[in-house]
Amino acid sequence: MSYQNATSELNVGSQPGPKNPQRTEGSTQYGDYGSALLENRLSVEDFVKIQSAFESPEPRQTISMSREEFVQKMKEIIVWGTEKEYQELFDKVDVARDGFINWDKLTSFMLLALYEKDERAKATVVPQWKALEFLPVKHKDTIQKVIFLKSSSRYLTISKEGLLGIWGENLTLQETLPVTSDVTKLKHLWVTSLVSLENVNKIAVAFTSKEIYFYDLLSKEEFPCQYKLQGLKATPICMDYWYDPLDANESILSFGDITGKVQAISFTAALISLFERPPSACEDEDTTVTISWAELLSGYHKCCYILEHKLHHGDWVRQVAYSASLDAIISSTTSNTNTVVLAWREKSKKHLKMTSFNIAQGIHAFDYHSQLNLIATAGINSKVCLWNPYVVSKPVGVLWGHSASVIAVQFFAGRKQLFSFSKDKVLRLWDIQHQLSIQRIACSFPKSQDFRCLFHFDEAHGRLFISFNNQLALLAMKSETSKRVKSHKKAVTCVLYNSIWKQVISSDTGSTVSFWMIDTGQKIKQFTGCHGNAEISTMALDVNETRLLTGSTDGTVKIWDFNGYCHHTLNVGQDGVVDISQILVLKKTILVTGWERYVMLHTKLTMTVFRPQNFNQFFIQPEEWKGGVQHRDDILCVAFLPPQTLATGSYDGEIVLWNNSTENAHHALHPDYQRLLKSKLDAEPHKLLSADRNSSPTPTADQATLRAYPSEVDTEGNNAVKRLCFLEARKNIAVTEGANLVSCGGSGYVRFWDTFKKQLLAEFLAHSGAGSIIMSIDKLNQYLVTGDLDGWVKVWNIEDYCLNSSQNKVTQPPPLIRSFQPHEDRISCLEMCELWGRSLIISSSADCSISVTDVCSSPIWSFGQAKHWQIENCISLPKRDTTLMESEIQEKSIRTIPLLSKEELCLDPIEHSLLDKKNKEDSTDNVRASEDINLGMKYKARNCHKKKTHKLYDGEIIQKTSSAFRSLTIGALKELPEVNKPAFLLDPEKYFQEEPEEECPQISELPPLSETLKAVFDEKNLFPKEILDHERRAKQLCQETSGEVKIKRNKKQLQLKEK
């Protein structure tokens, strides 16, 4: 038996080691690599054998081994494993390169490797936190609540004195507003709680004056109170709000008061109105409507009803929440009886049915995990208990570890973990499955005897807020280390392509701009701190692509050269907070669009214009846009179509068309309506038109108002226009009445518009359930590329899409060429470019990466990866379709031959043949340049710049194939027979001697034609008899008519003479 066979048999047996010895020689990817290492596959028995090999017969001495000795010894005692693996293990242990190792060195290496492995395992389970950071709040009293608004990506904080703080998603304080009622101002009462009504864009604030105020977040004028709920029997101190995501009309507002009463208002038509407006109320929506609690109890308001119970018996209700999975209201107190109460309503019954938990010493707070079906309670006795909602006798688990009263608990739902915070300012993270504390963090708050802490974990953003009286601290999770290549350290916001230098330019939220070579992926330079610490939201290149413009959230646009020198700073926001959405560089103007935040969620729309002829200093102030702002919501994008058409898109779905020369708007398009716009100087009211083709061209005022202003406000951005692209390559679109403008945005829809007829021609769902999308279109208008919030990119063929107008709106999508996911997070920007005739797609994402690929099925490369690429050699070209029949070629060739003009019809036959030959040549190239790729789509080979493989020669097609030599059989050549020399070589004088010159005979002159003509020329011999007879009759008729005319003329002359 050979050595290899013996090794295989031992590995298959009970001996420890890999079950498949072949796997040890291969390399594994990512997570499998660590488990495939030799040191990770050694068992305890193997280490015992290794230790015995290093033991010396003499006491207190160890054996040292060289590399060859160690490998030979291991192969003898361990048996399994390859020689290369033991050599690699020796090199890892011998860090100092001494050339030998002993048992101490080996054990030190193994302990360190195991420690690092344990740390990596913990990093995947335990979140890693940044340093504790205190936010710059302006609250002077205790912070009562912290909430996050998903619709606007903003945080709200409210304090006891009624000061509301508005924070951006990057946790910058944007605005502070006083929120107090008339009664609290007089009696110095305070705010107790705050909840967000996300489905109706409102917030509810509870006061110690036994009132609940409802404020509207969509009002642009001020921060108005829409409803006042008064007449409560006791002060509400905690609130909770829930709405059904499948039916936003169904929602529940629950609250608990200081008398132990839990009450809930169940809304049945929340989207229409929370409460019924009394007949005497003013029609103005900004007026405050006062609602009496007695009216709600009596059932006066048909759109809601009341649920309540008093099982807590006079104890303060510390927390209340509604659980949709349990269909019950959960409430808690600090009492040891009826500490936690679950109340639910059975069908066809008005009263609530209840069950309760009795917890010793009571609890401060609770949280419910719907997937685990567990209720976690923060005990005053320093215990964290886990309860099954259907088992009230005892908890299913008790978490020990806190040495002080636990004041807050919250589940980390995604990881099935639990946070708990105690009164001694210690934060613990628990593993629910094993019921063990896996992390402990001691927070450094000031020492105080009397303090109030608030605990809120924003799982979506990995942010943990802990308040200490009027201070607010933030613990932010570190982003998990991913194996994905990162192009930037922070989220990428914009990407551009410079066709002159063949470079990709990218920017991120950290105000960094990077430059990359597109053909290799190499980073060549980087500008840091372009706008300080402010985020770069958008970029643009000038017309000549020699200047770079960067727009930032600090309200400025800077103009750079490619050496990093800033030439000008454009002051867009007038030293205010501005969100710049896009920069459009034209020949005579620079247009900047966006919105300026000046209060809460309200915006001041901006369209700022700069004229380059006034760039005579460093700081440039904006000029007035003559047409004003015609949009009613945030302006998100802008596009230009030469010579003078400008289009802007907004959050509410409107597309406004402008004349760039006069800077006046003339039309507004929307998927549901359209309206005519007058210039800013025109005092006439706006005329409104319906988008329906069959409607009356001049609707009445009532009809127009109804069509122009939809009954339901689009608060979710379902029609938001994120990108606009004109189809400039469609030259004759005004004649064919096809689409020349493409828009995309909310709900994943792409829409095609005809701006000449002001008509929506087509719309289709590009990304289902992915929310808002962005897009890009190549210069030839052949490909549309869309990207969504999940990192997916789709490529569509729009070359023949919506080329002609139609009566009905097209909903069928164009052919899909490719769908892939180059990123793990939101696609922030898409750019298409042409390189060596290939259409390339450049995409950037919030996952800090930038990718490039082509429209076919080529690999995806990431800028920043260790290995550079050669894109010219790596991009796969589509295979040519060589199965076309000759009849199809001729048919398609005929289609490509243009109609001959009058000048071409007058050409000579020779010129016609040359023209036909040229047309045939072009048509054949067009036919051979198209092919079938994914889903039967045609991809033009001219975009890949592949060399022509078919040429016309004498009317025949000659194929040149790159694989022709594969079919050749190469062998030894046969010997040729001996060839005799020809006779003219043997005797050249016989064949090539000069002959004597002979005199040429003289050619006699030909006789004249008159002498040789035998008969006189007669036309009767050339033409048929019928033609000659017809001509003879015509001559006779002409003579007769002419004679009659002469006779009549003579008679008239005689009559005139006689008179």
Side-chain angles (χ1 to χ4, degrees):
M1 181 183 294
S2 65
Y3 175 78
Q4 293 179 350
N5 292 336
T7 304
S8 300
E9 288 185 3
L10 287 172
N11 286 336
V12 174
S14 60
Q15 187 74 12
K19 298 297 181 183
N20 185 6
Q22 296 176 353
R23 180 170 180 166
T24 61
E25 299 181 8
S27 61
T28 55
Q29 294 288 335
Y30 302 111
D32 295 338
Y33 178 74
S35 60
L37 294 175
L38 177 65
E39 55 267 27
N40 294 333
R41 293 183 282 120
L42 292 173
S43 64
V44 178
E45 292 80 4
D46 296 330
F47 279 109
V48 172
K49 294 178 182 180
I50 296 174
Q51 184 181 11
S52 62
F54 280 98
E55 290 179 352
S56 174
E58 298 181 6
R60 297 182 181 179
Q61 289 187 3
T62 58
I63 297 177
S64 298
M65 297 183 186
S66 64
R67 196 169 188 258
E68 292 77 12
E69 292 174 347
F70 176 76
V71 173
Q72 185 64 28
K73 199 70 174 177
M74 293 302 104
K75 290 171 67 176
E76 292 177 0
I77 63 176
I78 305 299
V79 181
W80 60 268
T82 63
E83 182 178 349
K84 183 179 179 180
E85 288 178 325
Y86 288 114
Q87 290 174 352
E88 291 177 354
L89 178 59
F90 182 91
D91 295 337
K92 293 177 184 177
V93 176
D94 186 20
V95 180
R97 296 295 184 265
D98 296 329
F100 64 90
I101 63 172
N102 54 25
W103 176 248
D104 293 337
K105 286 187 176 182
L106 182 61
T107 52
S108 298
F109 166 76
M110 293 304 303
L111 289 174
L112 182 61
L114 291 173
Y115 173 77
E116 292 177 350
K117 181 181 178 182
D118 185 55
E119 288 297 315
R120 286 194 300 268
K122 281 186 177 180
T124 60
V125 177
V126 180
Q128 304 299 312
W129 304 93
K130 299 178 182 178
L132 187 69
E133 177 187 358
F134 285 89
L135 300 179
V137 298
K138 293 186 179 181
H139 298 290
K140 298 180 180 179
D141 210 333
T142 305
I143 297 176
Q144 300 285 54
K145 200 68 176 288
V146 178
I147 62 174
F148 178 70
L149 301 177
K150 296 180 182 178
S151 59
S152 59
S153 298
R154 274 162 173 76
Y155 293 92
L156 299 183
T157 58
I158 197 165
S159 55
K160 204 172 183 180
E161 79 273 16
L163 189 64
L164 183 70
I166 301 102
W167 304 76
E169 192 173 7
N170 56 355
L171 294 178
T172 57
L173 184 61
Q174 296 183 346
E175 192 72 30
T176 55
L177 298 171
V179 181
T180 55
S181 64
D182 298 334
V183 180
T184 55
K185 290 179 181 178
L186 298 175
K187 298 183 178 181
H188 302 286
L189 301 179
W190 55 79
V191 172
T192 59
S193 185
L194 165 73
V195 290
S196 170
L197 285 63
E198 287 277 354
N199 59 328
V200 291
N201 289 282
K202 295 177 176 58
I203 59 172
V205 183
F207 297 92
T208 52
S209 58
K210 304 176 185 178
E211 297 173 310
I212 299 178
Y213 280 31
F214 297 84
Y215 295 91
D216 186 13
L217 301 181
L218 294 181
S219 177
K220 295 182 180 290
E221 300 298 330
E222 53 184 3
F223 186 49
C225 175
Q226 193 169 10
Y227 299 104
K228 290 182 181 180
L229 179 57
Q230 297 178 339
L232 299 175
K233 301 300 180 183
T235 299
I237 57 174
C238 58
M239 291 194 301
D240 178 73
Y241 185 78
W242 169 90
Y243 72 94
D244 188 355
L246 301 179
D247 183 9
N249 281 308
E250 300 289 336
S251 57
I252 295 176
L253 174 66
S254 54
F255 54 93
D257 58 27
I258 60 176
T259 64
K261 185 182 293 186
V262 175
Q263 301 161 103
I265 307 174
S266 181
F267 300 100
T268 58
L271 295 180
I272 300 175
S273 179
L274 293 178
F275 306 100
E276 293 184 3
R277 301 176 70 89
S280 59
C282 180
E283 295 182 359
D284 188 5
E285 294 182 358
D286 293 335
T287 59
T288 303
V289 177
T290 302
I291 307 297
S292 172
W293 181 252
E295 294 178 357
L296 296 180
L297 291 175
S298 65
Y300 171 76
H301 295 268
K302 304 301 181 182
C303 54
C304 60
Y305 58 89
I306 305 300
L307 301 172
E308 60 182 1
H309 73 80
K310 305 177 182 179
L311 196 58
H312 290 295
H313 302 301
D315 296 313
W316 284 30
V317 181
R318 299 293 180 177
Q319 186 179 351
V320 63
Y322 173 78
S323 171
S325 59
L326 294 176
D327 194 16
I329 301 172
I330 310 173
S331 56
S332 67
T333 65
T334 54
S335 174
N336 56 2
T337 58
N338 296 329
T339 309
V340 178
V341 174
L342 275 72
W344 66 94
R345 179 185 180 187
E346 295 182 346
K347 293 182 179 180
S348 70
K349 292 185 179 180
K350 296 182 179 180
H351 299 287
L352 294 173
K353 192 172 182 179
M354 291 163 286
T355 183
S356 63
F357 300 83
N358 297 326
I359 303 174
Q361 301 182 30
I363 64 171
H364 281 117
F366 68 88
D367 194 19
Y368 174 69
H369 196 297
S370 58
Q371 295 179 352
L372 298 176
N373 195 28
L374 288 176
I375 298 176
T377 57
I380 298 176
N381 57 0
S382 71
K383 297 178 184 178
V384 177
C385 297
L386 303 175
W387 302 81
N388 188 320
Y390 305 107
V391 180
V392 299
S393 58
K394 63 178 181 178
V396 296
V398 180
L399 307 180
W400 303 81
H402 284 287
S403 56
S405 175
V406 185
I407 59 178
V409 288
Q410 187 172 346
F411 279 103
F412 195 163
R415 299 191 179 191
K416 296 182 180 179
Q417 297 169 349
L418 177 69
F419 288 104
S420 62
F421 189 72
S422 59
K423 212 163 188 177
D424 57 355
K425 305 149 193 169
V426 173
L427 173 69
R428 284 188 179 271
L429 182 63
W430 306 85
D431 182 86
I432 301 300
Q433 182 179 1
H434 300 93
Q435 297 186 10
L436 295 174
S437 176
I438 59 177
Q439 194 174 41
R440 179 186 181 275
I441 301 175
C443 301
S444 56
F445 285 105
K447 293 183 179 180
S448 176
Q449 295 295 330
D450 185 19
F451 67 91
R452 172 180 166 81
C453 275
L454 176 71
F455 185 89
H456 174 74
F457 177 58
D458 180 12
E459 185 173 346
H461 297 83
R463 291 168 176 170
L464 182 62
F465 297 91
I466 305 174
S467 70
F468 184 85
N469 291 336
N470 65 330
Q471 298 182 12
L472 185 61
L474 169 67
L475 266 178
M477 288 178 57
K478 293 181 179 179
S479 56
E480 296 182 358
T481 57
S482 174
K483 299 184 185 299
R484 175 175 288 274
V485 176
K486 291 187 177 181
S487 311
H488 283 250
K489 292 182 179 180
K490 294 189 178 181
V492 185
T493 57
C494 186
V495 64
L496 297 174
Y497 177 69
N498 189 314
S499 59
I500 297 177
W501 305 106
K502 293 181 173 57
Q503 295 176 4
V504 175
I505 309 171
S506 57
S507 64
D508 61 15
T509 57
S511 200
T512 299
V513 177
S514 299
F515 295 78
W516 314 80
M517 295 300 297
I518 193 172
D519 52 350
T520 61
Q522 179 184 1
K523 182 192 287 188
I524 54 176
K525 53 189 167 184
Q526 179 174 290
F527 304 155
T528 58
C530 295
H531 291 262
N533 296 324
E535 171 187 337
I536 297 177
S537 57
T538 185
M539 297 190 300
L541 291 170
D542 68 344
V543 179
N544 299 322
E545 299 187 12
T546 57
R547 291 288 185 268
L548 175 67
L549 289 82
T550 58
S552 173
T553 54
D554 62 0
T556 62
V557 173
K558 294 186 177 182
I559 303 178
W560 309 78
D561 60 22
F562 291 143
N563 293 322
Y565 178 74
C566 180
H567 293 266
H568 302 284
T569 297
L570 314 183
N571 190 7
V572 180
Q574 302 290 331
D575 300 325
V577 180
V578 176
D579 287 343
I580 298 175
S581 59
Q582 191 173 345
I583 304 171
L584 183 65
V585 182
L586 303 176
K587 289 185 178 180
K588 297 182 180 180
T589 58
I590 298 176
L591 185 63
V592 182
T593 61
W595 59 95
E596 181 178 354
R597 303 276 173 183
Y598 68 99
V599 59
M600 185 63 181
L601 304 176
H602 318 316
T603 59
K604 178 183 178 182
L605 311 181
T606 60
M607 283 186 65
T608 310
V609 62
F610 298 88
R611 309 191 191 281
Q613 59 266 26
N614 300 329
F615 285 14
N616 51 9
Q617 51 188 342
F618 183 78
F619 291 100
I620 310 297
Q621 299 301 324
E623 299 184 17
E624 182 183 1
W625 179 256
K626 299 177 183 178
V629 179
Q630 299 289 346
H631 286 280
R632 296 170 296 192
D633 213 329
D634 300 341
I635 303 173
L636 303 181
C637 56
V638 60
F640 178 71
L641 177 66
Q644 58 188 13
T645 303
L646 191 72
T648 54
S650 60
Y651 185 80
D652 58 1
E654 273 198 349
I655 300 174
V656 175
L657 301 179
W658 306 76
N659 186 313
N660 183 56
S661 301
T662 61
E663 298 183 2
N664 286 325
H666 55 83
H667 218 94
L669 306 177
H670 192 275
D672 300 327
Y673 63 89
Q674 57 177 279
R675 59 192 178 103
L676 289 175
L677 299 177
K678 293 294 183 179
S679 64
K680 188 177 179 181
L681 301 177
D682 199 341
E684 295 183 5
H686 292 179
K687 295 182 180 180
L688 306 170
L689 292 177
S690 169
D692 190 357
R693 293 173 57 92
N694 299 325
S695 61
S696 174
T698 56
T700 62
D702 296 338
Q703 291 175 342
T705 304
L706 181 62
R707 290 167 185 166
Y709 299 93
S711 58
E712 294 185 5
V713 180
D714 181 17
T715 60
E716 301 294 332
N718 294 326
N719 293 321
V721 183
K722 284 296 190 70
R723 294 290 188 275
L724 283 172
C725 293
F726 276 106
L727 303 177
E728 297 185 32
R730 299 186 175 184
K731 301 296 184 181
N732 299 324
I733 206 66
V735 179
T736 60
E737 298 182 348
N740 67 334
L741 177 65
V742 186
S743 67
C744 76
S747 300
Y749 276 89
V750 177
R751 296 180 172 91
F752 284 71
W753 305 83
D754 181 0
T755 59
F756 296 101
K757 300 186 68 175
K758 314 300 183 296
Q759 181 185 359
L760 175 62
L761 297 183
E763 68 174 0
F764 65 91
L765 184 61
H767 297 258
S768 177
S772 180
I773 64 172
I774 61 174
M775 69 175 180
S776 180
I777 298 177
D778 67 320
K779 292 183 179 180
L780 298 177
N781 301 156
Q782 291 178 302
Y783 305 109
L784 165 70
V785 181
T786 56
D788 61 22
L789 300 178
D790 296 327
W792 280 89
V793 173
K794 294 184 178 181
V795 184
W796 312 81
N797 189 324
I798 61 169
E799 186 176 10
D800 300 325
Y801 193 71
C802 286
L803 292 178
N804 300 299
S805 178
S806 61
Q807 295 291 333
N808 300 322
K809 181 174 63 178
V810 178
T811 58
Q812 183 72 20
L816 179 65
I817 297 178
R818 186 183 181 190
S819 178
F820 56 100
Q821 187 180 16
H823 303 283
E824 296 176 348
D825 205 342
R826 169 180 58 89
I827 303 290
S828 58
C829 189
L830 287 172
E831 184 83 0
M832 291 199 71
C833 64
E834 295 287 330
L835 187 66
W836 298 307
R838 301 179 176 97
S839 295
L840 302 182
I841 303 169
I842 307 169
S843 60
S844 64
S845 171
D847 65 359
C848 308
S849 66
I850 308 168
S851 299
V852 61
T853 184
D854 72 341
V855 297
C856 299
S857 56
S858 293
I860 301 171
W861 297 280
S862 296
F863 289 94
Q865 66 185 41
K867 185 178 180 180
H868 294 162
W869 61 78
Q870 292 294 333
I871 201 168
E872 185 177 7
N873 302 326
C874 295
I875 290 184
S876 61
L877 295 178
K879 297 180 180 179
R880 292 190 178 274
D881 185 7
T882 58
T883 60
L884 287 176
M885 300 300 293
E886 186 176 355
S887 59
E888 295 178 355
I889 297 175
Q890 294 175 355
E891 181 182 354
K892 294 184 180 181
S893 301
I894 294 173
R895 295 177 184 175
T896 58
I897 297 175
L899 294 177
L900 298 179
S901 62
K902 291 182 179 180
E903 292 81 4
E904 293 170 337
L905 290 174
C906 299
L907 294 176
D908 293 336
I910 298 177
E911 295 177 346
H912 267 296
S913 63
L914 294 175
L915 181 63
D916 293 341
K917 183 176 181 180
K918 182 179 179 181
N919 287 333
K920 288 179 182 179
E921 193 171 78
D922 293 341
S923 63
T924 307
D925 290 340
N926 289 337
V927 172
R928 304 309 303 175
S930 61
E931 61 163 3
D932 294 335
I933 310 183
N934 268 349
L935 306 177
M937 287 312 304
K938 292 183 178 180
Y939 177 86
K940 297 294 183 182
R942 64 175 178 271
N943 295 328
C944 295
H945 257 227
K946 190 172 182 180
K947 294 182 179 180
K948 297 179 181 179
T949 58
H950 304 316
K951 292 184 178 180
L952 285 178
Y953 183 75
D954 293 338
E956 296 182 358
I957 297 178
I958 302 175
Q959 284 191 337
K960 292 184 180 180
T961 173
S962 60
S963 60
F965 292 102
R966 297 182 182 178
S967 59
L968 295 179
T969 302
I970 301 175
L973 297 177
K974 296 180 180 180
E975 294 183 1
L976 295 176
E978 186 177 352
V979 180
N980 297 326
K981 292 183 179 181
F984 65 85
L985 291 178
L986 297 176
D987 190 7
E989 295 181 357
K990 179 181 179 181
Y991 293 91
F992 301 107
Q993 64 180 359
E994 294 183 359
E995 296 181 357
E997 294 183 0
E998 296 181 357
E999 294 182 0
C1000 297
Q1002 294 183 355
I1003 301 174
S1004 59
E1005 295 181 359
L1006 295 175
L1009 181 62
S1010 59
E1011 298 179 359
T1012 58
L1013 188 62
K1014 297 181 179 180
V1016 181
F1017 174 76
D1018 189 3
E1019 62 179 8
K1020 295 180 180 180
N1021 299 328
L1022 296 177
F1023 298 100
K1025 182 181 178 181
E1026 292 79 7
I1027 296 178
L1028 296 174
D1029 294 342
H1030 178 74
E1031 185 179 2
R1032 179 175 49 79
R1033 287 195 298 270
K1035 288 181 178 180
Q1036 291 179 356
L1037 181 61
C1038 182
Q1039 292 175 357
E1040 291 176 358
T1041 52
S1042 59
E1044 293 178 356
V1045 169
K1046 289 181 180 180
I1047 294 172
K1048 291 181 180 180
R1049 188 183 303 133
N1050 295 331
K1051 287 183 178 180
K1052 288 182 180 180
Q1053 292 178 355
L1054 291 174
Q1055 291 176 358
L1056 290 174
K1057 289 180 179 180
E1058 292 176 356
K1059 290 181 179 181

